[in-house]
Amino acid sequence: MSASPITDLLDDPESQVESGRQKIDWARQHMPICTTLETEFADTEPFAGQRIGMAMHVEAKTAVLVETLAAGGAEITITGCNPLSTHDDVSAALDAQENITSVARRGVDEDEYYDALEAVIAAEPTITVDDGADLVFRINEQHPELIDDIIGGCEETTTGVNRLRAMDEDGELDYPVFAVNDTPMKRLFDNVHGTGESSLANIAMTTNLSFAGKTVVVAGYGDCGRGLAKKAAGQNAHVIVTEVDPRRALEAHMEGYEVCSMREAAPRGDVFITATGNRDVITEDHFERMQDGAVLANAGHFDIEVNLDDLSALADSITEVRDGVRAYELPDGRRLNVLAEGRLVNLAGPLSLGHPVEVMDQSFGVQAVCVRELVGAAQTGLPDRLLGAIRDRFGGGSGHSAVANHSYQPGLHPVPDVLDREVARIKLDAEDIAIDDMSDKQEEYANSWRHGT
């Protein structure tokens, strides 16, 4: 069964559209990178004739990205990448626009989730923009007939990039995809500051509890875990880090955090936050050792990090004790509190708004220039106005892409550094921040292997 556009499903679509529009307009005021690119795209129309399929967290900041791409002439179909992260009013505001169809809806079950993905695929996208790689995976596995017409894609998050890297290594990724998550303008800000700030803020709002004086256990010390640990320590919590990678564990130790196994941390933690991207990080063995009232939250992508099957099997009862909080009461009377049904806590909770607007402006700016790069690398005979805009931004050259004369083969690709730096420059200009330029001698020295002591 195909999913319907959200405006066909709402009781009062006009009111929802107005509410969503207000949210989008507020976000837009604080997203100078996307608005700068939107102006460029509206002038050059680089995406005319392109169909962009998207599976993202459909909320206000994502909507600004969608409208930025639509301004460039694209037809866009979008759905959610998590059953609980869609804001229905924002989805409705997108769907009300002429060249955008949104089938994203909050609270869908598993069948409805995949029906919505199929609705995006039915639009026969020429470009995909994904968060978690469900869309890419489904096209590769179930709709290979569409791949010849797909220019490429972009992947937003760590979990999705890990999946795509595994697909690529197995020779199963059949069109080029940019690993947006791995580029510095995304990873160093979105993952560290975005995940850290938004996860802790949403845990605090959902529970109305303080971090000060509590022991916070952070599972995983990648970029997201690093941000969580830093922000929790900044709110006067004692932070314990658990890891499986010896180098990351040592890094956490050298940063001043206590490091131990999850089994050792289990009886000591007041709040547990997983950020590993892997399954079964907290399981029956850990639940049995936790103290009464412990709070469990997941800041990874999928709802597999905290094993809720194990916890349900242990519990005598499960009660919704607060909006977004389920208490699992164990036979001995201890209660373990799970937030957002074990899903992404900064987006799936009842009060969740996701990462701060300014942070997502950077990530979505990278997404936007990557889509432009894919189209520019694939097309020939581009309009003179678009070629002129590219040359003005990157200098001379006959190539249509930022990387002159470059084309992208199937597989996972790093974001070209020139694109990442472009986004950083737009942000600096918006903040009226000046930086130095290297002299000719410095450029020559930096790029030569001949200079010694």
Side-chain angles (χ1 to χ4, degrees):
M1 186 176 79
S2 179
S4 299
I6 190 169
T7 46
D8 293 345
L9 303 173
L10 297 173
D11 293 333
D12 186 5
E14 288 188 12
S15 175
Q16 291 286 322
V17 168
E18 182 180 355
S19 171
R21 188 72 256 161
Q22 288 179 337
K23 292 180 179 180
I24 298 167
D25 290 344
W26 169 260
R28 183 184 298 281
Q29 293 177 46
H30 304 279
M31 298 180 73
I33 299 170
C34 283
T35 53
T36 298
L37 292 170
E38 184 175 12
T39 300
E40 174 194 315
F41 294 165
D43 181 52
T44 59
E45 294 186 359
F47 312 134
Q50 300 297 330
R51 300 180 301 276
I52 301 178
M54 304 178 71
M56 306 283 284
H57 299 292
V58 181
E59 44 80 52
K61 301 176 290 292
T62 306
V64 174
L65 170 63
V66 174
E67 293 179 351
T68 298
L69 298 174
E75 294 285 336
I76 298 175
T77 308
I78 185 169
T79 186
C81 63
N82 183 298
L84 293 178
S85 64
T86 292
H87 291 204
D88 285 345
D89 54 351
V90 171
S91 182
L94 286 175
D95 190 58
Q97 300 179 55
E98 185 175 352
N99 56 340
I100 301 170
T101 300
S102 180
V103 295
R105 186 162 55 91
R106 183 181 176 87
V108 295
D109 62 27
E110 184 174 348
D111 288 341
E112 291 169 328
Y113 176 83
Y114 287 106
D115 284 344
L117 281 177
E118 288 293 336
V120 173
I121 295 168
E124 299 185 356
T126 56
I127 298 166
T128 62
V129 180
D130 217 336
D131 189 315
D134 276 349
L135 185 58
V136 179
F137 178 78
R138 200 164 182 90
I139 289 173
N140 273 261
E141 287 291 297
Q142 299 189 21
H143 300 276
E145 73 280 0
L146 299 180
I147 289 174
D148 285 347
D149 292 328
I150 295 179
I151 292 169
C154 304
E155 171 53 49
E156 171 76 10
T157 198
T158 306
T159 297
V161 168
N162 288 342
R163 293 180 77 189
L164 294 176
R165 185 169 289 115
M167 287 178 70
D168 194 14
E169 290 172 354
D170 288 345
E172 298 293 336
L173 182 54
D174 293 331
Y175 62 87
V177 181
F178 280 130
V180 170
N181 175 79
D182 293 356
T183 203
M185 279 297 288
K186 196 277 184 186
R187 177 174 53 84
L188 297 179
F189 301 94
D190 182 318
N191 294 14
V192 176
H193 296 285
T195 300
E197 290 185 22
S198 64
S199 296
L200 294 184
N202 283 292
I203 291 169
M205 287 190 296
T206 301
T207 63
N208 198 29
L209 299 176
S210 171
F211 289 100
K214 288 187 172 64
T215 295
V216 174
V217 179
V218 176
Y221 201 71
D223 290 317
C224 294
R226 186 178 298 110
L228 288 162
K230 179 178 181 179
K231 305 297 181 179
Q235 295 192 46
N236 298 323
H238 173 67
V239 176
I240 297 175
V241 171
T242 71
E243 250 298 347
V244 296
D245 185 291
R247 292 167 297 187
R248 288 179 174 175
L250 186 58
E251 181 186 6
H253 170 70
M254 295 294 283
E255 290 291 333
Y257 303 114
E258 182 179 356
V259 179
C260 65
S261 69
M262 182 59 75
R263 195 168 195 275
E264 293 174 293
R268 300 176 54 198
D270 298 299
V271 179
F272 295 79
I273 312 174
T274 59
T276 71
N278 211 330
R279 64 176 304 121
D280 300 332
V281 178
I282 302 179
T283 61
E284 178 179 359
D285 182 48
H286 309 121
F287 300 136
E288 290 177 338
R289 298 169 62 84
M290 288 180 180
Q291 58 184 311
D292 181 33
V295 172
L296 292 85
N298 171 36
H301 188 80
F302 294 118
D303 59 337
I304 57 174
E305 303 207 19
V306 180
N307 191 318
L308 296 182
D309 289 338
D310 281 2
L311 186 53
S312 296
L314 288 174
D316 280 347
S317 65
I318 304 173
T319 308
E320 194 87 6
V321 293
R322 185 178 171 86
D323 197 13
V325 183
R326 286 183 180 171
Y328 291 72
E329 185 165 345
L330 306 184
D332 60 6
R334 285 179 298 127
R335 293 157 298 174
L336 306 183
N337 299 298
V338 176
L339 306 189
E341 301 178 24
R343 295 189 180 277
L344 198 55
V345 70
N346 62 331
L347 279 157
L351 302 173
S352 297
L353 297 174
H355 288 3
V357 177
E358 301 92 336
V359 168
M360 291 311 301
D361 186 34
Q362 296 182 184
S363 297
F364 288 157
V366 176
Q367 290 274 24
V369 296
C370 282
V371 172
R372 185 192 63 197
E373 171 69 9
L374 287 166
V375 174
Q379 288 183 340
T380 57
L382 292 177
D384 289 342
R385 60 178 175 163
L386 179 53
L387 289 174
I390 292 171
R391 287 171 182 149
D392 287 345
R393 188 175 292 280
F394 299 111
S398 59
H400 300 147
S401 68
V403 183
N405 298 317
H406 190 79
S407 61
Y408 296 96
Q409 299 302 310
L412 191 64
H413 295 267
V415 174
D417 193 58
V418 66
L419 301 182
D420 203 56
R421 291 179 183 273
E422 176 191 358
V423 172
R425 290 258 179 202
I426 295 172
K427 178 67 172 180
L428 289 175
D429 288 347
E431 297 288 339
D432 197 25
I433 297 173
I435 61 174
D436 291 320
D437 293 318
M438 285 198 289
S439 68
D440 291 343
K441 285 186 178 181
Q442 287 175 317
E443 288 274 10
E444 191 272 334
Y445 183 88
N447 293 304
S448 174
W449 54 270
R450 295 184 180 276
H451 299 290
T453 54

